[in-house]
Amino acid sequence: MSQSPGVQHQGEASIRGYYLELVRPELDDMALYQPVWGTTDIADPHERKRHVYADLMMDYAWMGFEIGTIREPLLRDMLAGMFTGEAGRLYWSRARVSWTAGSSGSRVGRRFLAIVGEEHVRAVAAGPPTPSAVAPRPPDVPVAGAAPAWRTSVGALVGPGAGLALGSLLRGRR
């Protein structure tokens, strides 16, 4: 017996929300939680945080494109911005293989990957990336009395989809 699309989307939203709850501690304290996922070739703690955040952004873009709330022109605009910077380009160079393995099984997935690839190529052809700024404080040390800035950004990204984790969960950790 198959589920109705509404029930399926509710289940996906629940999984996405749960995944986001798993990622929050990691973003707050990379040194403590990152080793749970295994070793990484990303030595710089700021780069690791950027990678996780870029993965959340890409999952959001994928989810929105897959369900039709992010149409191709908006997706291209989002990706153009992401690939203008060094962090976005580094993310895609590390995550491309995993995204291809996990998203190429459907027509929508193949179209998404084609658009991402085209926008990446376009950005690289336009010239060198904007360097990533390094935060002035030590990594993983919260500013006293301040909520982490990523919460506002992630909250805005999660919005209507109640999270964006199913893609990462299904494809495995990059």
Side-chain angles (χ1 to χ4, degrees):
M1 182 170 150
S2 66
Q3 296 179 350
S4 69
V7 172
Q8 183 177 349
H9 285 300
Q10 285 176 331
E12 290 173 0
S14 294
I15 291 170
R16 289 178 180 125
Y18 186 72
Y19 174 77
L20 183 60
E21 291 302 316
L22 289 171
V23 171
R24 283 181 178 171
E26 182 181 5
L27 286 169
D28 281 339
D29 191 346
M30 294 292 287
L32 179 62
Y33 294 104
Q34 181 70 46
V36 171
W37 293 107
T39 59
T40 178
D41 63 342
I42 307 171
D44 180 79
H46 294 293
E47 258 187 72
R48 283 196 309 268
K49 280 189 175 187
R50 287 185 198 111
H51 182 86
V52 171
Y53 185 74
D55 195 48
L56 290 171
M57 288 181 60
M58 190 65 77
D59 281 337
Y60 171 73
W62 161 242
M63 178 190 71
F65 186 75
E66 182 182 34
I67 64 174
T69 58
I70 296 177
R71 304 223 187 280
E72 186 172 326
L74 176 57
L75 177 62
R76 287 185 181 279
D77 186 58
M78 292 168 64
L79 293 166
M82 182 177 181
F83 293 143
T84 298
E86 180 179 52
R89 291 186 193 183
L90 282 172
Y91 166 77
W92 189 242
S93 71
R94 290 181 174 119
R96 177 187 297 129
V97 171
S98 179
W99 272 97
T100 301
S103 301
S104 61
S106 71
R107 182 186 58 77
V108 174
R110 287 187 297 275
R111 181 66 188 140
F112 177 80
L113 291 171
I115 293 167
V116 175
E118 290 165 12
E119 291 305 319
H120 183 262
V121 166
R122 188 181 329 246
V124 169
T130 304
S132 300
V134 176
R137 64 180 173 81
D140 302 324
V141 178
V143 176
W150 66 267
R151 285 189 180 151
T152 302
S153 300
V154 170
L157 289 173
V158 172
L164 34 118
L166 183 60
S168 283
L169 195 58
L170 295 176
R171 282 188 308 280
R173 192 69 180 175
R174 282 178 277 295

